[in-house]
Amino acid sequence: MTERRADALILAVLTLVGLALRLYDIGRESYWLDEAGRVAIALRPLADIPHDVGVIELSPPLYHFVLHGWIALFGASETAVRLLSALLVIPTVPLAAAVGQVVGSRAVRWGMAAIAATSPFAVHYGQEAAMYALLLPLGLLTLVAALGVLEGPQPTRARWLGVYTVAGALALYTHYYAA
């Protein structure tokens, strides 16, 4: 097996482990207060969401817009709504691997991917109706893009700068922690 194939297999396994951890018992508990508030906001008409988020959540509204569309497609049950977070946070595994590869070695790459897959923080917010599941991959994508601008080959730096700008803006529109 080539190193490239082995890397693809490791990444696939770690991503599936991360997904399994987030899906395990995802609908067991009823909504808690913050989750119920987010669902209530997401159920409002799109035009009302920015105001309602600004008054109730005190955060930017991107997650609530995404949740609005998700609920329209899959419903507002605890399992359906939390499934959005489980799926949103999964890209953190390959993104963490990409950061690890740039800042370290192959071992660092897989160590960071394993942490992203199994981190109690990432698992918890991958099972909760919260904007952090969207913020985490957007934040990592912003970091990957920044590293691409700083460390990447000259011909790709402009593209990475575009990714950095878009991902950073989306992260800021998700939560103030992005700053």
Side-chain angles (χ1 to χ4, degrees):
M1 180 181 293
T2 67
E3 185 173 305
R4 189 174 182 162
R5 267 191 141 169
D7 285 352
L9 181 61
I10 292 168
L11 185 59
V13 167
L14 287 172
T15 302
L16 289 173
V17 165
L19 181 60
L21 289 171
R22 285 149 182 86
L23 293 178
Y24 175 74
D25 217 11
I26 196 169
R28 177 177 44 101
E29 295 181 13
S30 297
Y31 290 130
W32 65 287
L33 184 60
D34 285 358
E35 288 179 306
R38 290 180 192 117
V39 170
I41 292 169
L43 289 170
R44 304 274 296 142
L46 281 174
D48 295 344
I49 289 176
H51 174 266
D52 293 350
V53 170
V55 171
I56 298 167
E57 285 276 334
L58 303 175
S59 67
L62 180 59
Y63 171 78
H64 297 82
F65 286 135
V66 173
L67 184 58
H68 178 91
W70 182 266
I71 288 172
L73 293 172
F74 300 104
S77 72
E78 288 88 350
T79 301
V81 168
R82 291 178 182 145
L83 181 60
L84 172 62
S85 292
L87 296 176
L88 284 173
V89 82
I90 289 304
T92 61
V93 177
L95 288 168
V99 171
Q101 186 66 37
V102 172
V103 301
S105 62
R106 191 167 184 252
V108 172
R109 177 183 191 187
W110 298 126
M112 288 184 69
I115 290 169
T118 61
S119 161
F121 174 83
V123 171
H124 173 79
Y125 286 109
Q127 292 184 322
E128 181 180 310
M131 67 285 299
Y132 308 112
L134 180 56
L135 179 63
L136 190 55
L138 286 172
L140 277 172
L141 181 57
T142 303
L143 179 58
V144 167
L147 291 168
V149 169
L150 297 172
E151 304 287 331
Q154 187 64 37
T156 65
R157 289 184 181 179
R159 188 170 355 144
W160 279 120
L161 184 59
V163 173
Y164 174 82
T165 303
V166 171
L170 290 173
L172 286 169
Y173 207 59
T174 300
H175 201 286
Y176 299 120
Y177 289 166

